[in-house]
Amino acid sequence: MNPKELPDISLFRHHCDLQIRFSDVDILGHVNNTVYLAFYDTGKAHYFRDVRKEAFSWNDVDTVIANVNCAFISSIVFGEQIEVLTRCLEIHDKSFRLQQMIREKNTGEVKSICETVMVSFSPETKKSIPVSEYWRRALSGYEKRDLEIKH
């Protein structure tokens, strides 16, 4: 992930408005870096709800985060109107890769870019499992393209 090479905004089908709380802002007057990951989690939750087209049950978790790479590009300050954009880049045998972006809605200024590897997971065995056909169809259907990476 190279933050100097910003992805085309039109490639993101999912947008989620975010609210900056006073408690998100640190002594320097900008949103603390740890809050960005919470913003990305909120974007993922809304994305998954829309991709799955059903209520997401937090008791039946079948994917977990294996890796997160976050590039901080510009500070977010209290009062800005921000949104998180989310898309799935690809699906592998046991994982899929998401790309997200936080930007200021009025100016379009990109604040941060993040890539996350989500691994399909069995709570019973505590091991990774192949990405289900349900997730494969839902993600590819939502993104309107084949996301499968063949090895």
Side-chain angles (χ1 to χ4, degrees):
M1 176 178 66
N2 183 350
K4 293 184 194 260
E5 297 174 13
L6 298 177
D8 181 349
I9 298 297
S10 70
L11 299 175
F12 291 86
R13 299 192 65 240
H14 195 271
H15 300 242
C16 174
D17 290 344
L18 298 172
Q19 180 181 8
I20 302 171
R21 301 167 301 174
F22 179 75
S23 61
D24 295 335
V25 179
D26 63 21
I27 196 164
L28 299 174
H30 54 72
V31 172
N32 187 275
N33 64 309
T34 60
V35 176
Y36 285 63
L37 295 179
F39 287 165
Y40 284 126
D41 284 345
T42 299
K44 277 193 286 294
H46 286 271
Y47 178 77
F48 290 157
R49 180 201 60 206
D50 292 347
V51 162
R52 294 175 64 105
K53 296 182 175 89
E54 62 184 33
F56 191 77
S57 170
W58 297 107
N59 295 325
D60 299 322
V61 174
D62 58 355
T63 61
V64 295
I65 295 173
N67 183 275
V68 176
N69 290 304
C70 182
F72 301 99
I73 298 170
S74 180
S75 296
I76 300 172
V77 297
F78 189 78
E80 287 186 306
Q81 302 299 310
I82 58 169
E83 66 179 343
V84 62
L85 291 68
T86 304
R87 70 183 179 138
C88 184
L89 293 174
E90 59 194 24
I91 302 171
H92 294 267
D93 181 42
K94 295 183 177 184
S95 66
F96 55 92
R97 189 164 59 106
L98 300 176
Q99 183 178 60
Q100 294 179 283
M101 178 186 307
I102 295 173
R103 71 177 189 152
E104 209 287 331
K105 285 183 67 170
N106 297 317
T107 66
E109 180 184 10
V110 176
K111 303 294 187 169
S112 173
I113 300 174
C114 181
E115 287 190 10
T116 304
V117 175
M118 303 293 301
V119 173
S120 289
F121 179 78
S122 167
E124 294 81 29
T125 65
K126 309 277 191 264
K127 295 186 183 206
S128 63
I129 58 174
V131 175
S132 71
E133 284 305 312
Y134 179 83
W135 270 111
R136 290 174 188 281
R137 282 193 308 273
L139 289 164
S140 291
Y142 187 85
E143 297 294 344
K144 299 192 182 309
R145 63 188 181 87
D146 182 14
L147 300 169
E148 299 285 336
I149 300 296
K150 309 294 183 205
H151 294 284

